[in-house]
């Protein structure tokens, strides 16, 4: 969904990627033997724009030689080429991931996928909880290798174009049920929404397509295209 995390196991540090200031270089430091990883979603089979920006801007300093880097990707249909793209950007900093994992979850891209069957959604989430526990155990034991499921052969050019088109904010509209809570504007990871006369307005041509605004709207007033109204919201029960 919309969770972007950098996780550091050893010092038990967890930080949201959306909390960094992307107008400045991002500097991180790891202690000797500290495990570090990314927990991210796959968007249209590629990296979310904010994750790509993070990996490009991050300056990483490590102490000692014993480190374990991991990548965990949540996906609805396939994690796509997220492993290759993420590792390519990490290699530019002189490092590489030791392990890759994927966890299937409900696909929250409701312009396409239907989340109205709550029992189906619950079944997927119940299995995701079990899969996540296994991933956590493997990471704790520093298991190495690529353990991603449902990886396609070649999708990158198509997927990047698809993601770029999906991100266009002209696809959003607001229904009359809105009441000016400004939750969408306050929670947008890249500040793509502003409030004008207490109504949300998209002030950037492209966003992340995390759909945080749509799924978190208390009145379900924010829609994307024609299908989200019938496909429903994804909210924690």
């Amino acid at each position: 969904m919309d969770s972007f995390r950098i996780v550091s196991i050893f010092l038990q540090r967890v930080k949201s990627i959306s909390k960094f200031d992307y107008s400045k270089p991002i500097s991180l430091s790891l202690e000797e033997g500290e495990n570090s990883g990314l927990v991210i979603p796959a968007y249209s089979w590629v990296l979310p724009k904010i994750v790509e920006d993070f990996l490009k801007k991050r300056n990483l300093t490590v102490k000692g030689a014993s480190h374990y880097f991991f990548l965990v990707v949540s996906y609805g249909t396939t994690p796509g080429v997220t492993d290759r793209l993420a590792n390519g950007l990490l290699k530019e900093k002189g490092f590489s991931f030791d392990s890759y994992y994927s966890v299937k979850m409900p696909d929250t891209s409701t312009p396409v996928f239907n989340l109205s069957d709550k029992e189906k959604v619950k079944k997927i989430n119940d299995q995701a909880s079990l899969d996540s526990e296994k991933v956590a155990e493997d990471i704790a034991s520093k298991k190495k290798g690529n353990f991603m499921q449902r990886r396609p052969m070649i999708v990158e050019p198509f997927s990047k174009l698809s993601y770029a088109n999906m991100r266009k904010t002209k696809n959003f509209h607001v229904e009359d049920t809105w009441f000016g809570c400004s939750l969408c504007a306050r929670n947008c990871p890249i500040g793509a929404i502003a409030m004008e006369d207490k109504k949300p307005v998209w002030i950037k041509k492209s966003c992340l397509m995390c759909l945080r605004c749509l799924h978190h709207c208390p009145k379900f007033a924010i829609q994307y295209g024609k299908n989200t109204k019938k496909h429903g919201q994804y909210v924690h029960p």
Side-chain angles (χ1 to χ4, degrees), residues 5-9 13-15 30 35-39 70:
R5 301 285 187 267
I6 176 168
V7 180
S8 179
I9 299 177
R13 293 184 285 167
V14 180
K15 185 165 184 177
L30 298 178
N35 305 334
S36 181
L38 288 172
V39 180
F70 63 89

Side-chain angles (χ1 to χ4, degrees), residues 162-228:
S162 174
Y163 182 42
N165 288 329
M166 289 167 54
R167 293 173 54 217
K168 294 178 180 178
T169 57
K170 66 180 182 180
N171 295 311
F172 287 97
H173 66 274
V174 184
E175 296 186 332
D176 292 338
T177 52
W178 62 272
F179 65 105
C181 70
S182 76
L183 190 64
C184 54
R186 287 185 280 117
N187 285 337
C188 180
I190 63 169
I193 304 174
M195 300 299 292
E196 295 182 6
D197 296 325
K198 296 184 178 181
K199 184 176 182 178
V201 175
W202 280 261
I203 57 176
K204 294 184 178 181
K205 291 183 178 181
S206 295
C207 64
L208 295 179
M209 192 55 186
C210 67
L211 296 182
R212 184 182 295 185
C213 56
L214 184 154
H215 291 302
H216 288 193
C217 180
K219 294 293 185 179
F220 197 15
I222 295 176
Q223 303 295 326
Y224 180 104
K226 300 177 180 179
N227 295 323
T228 52

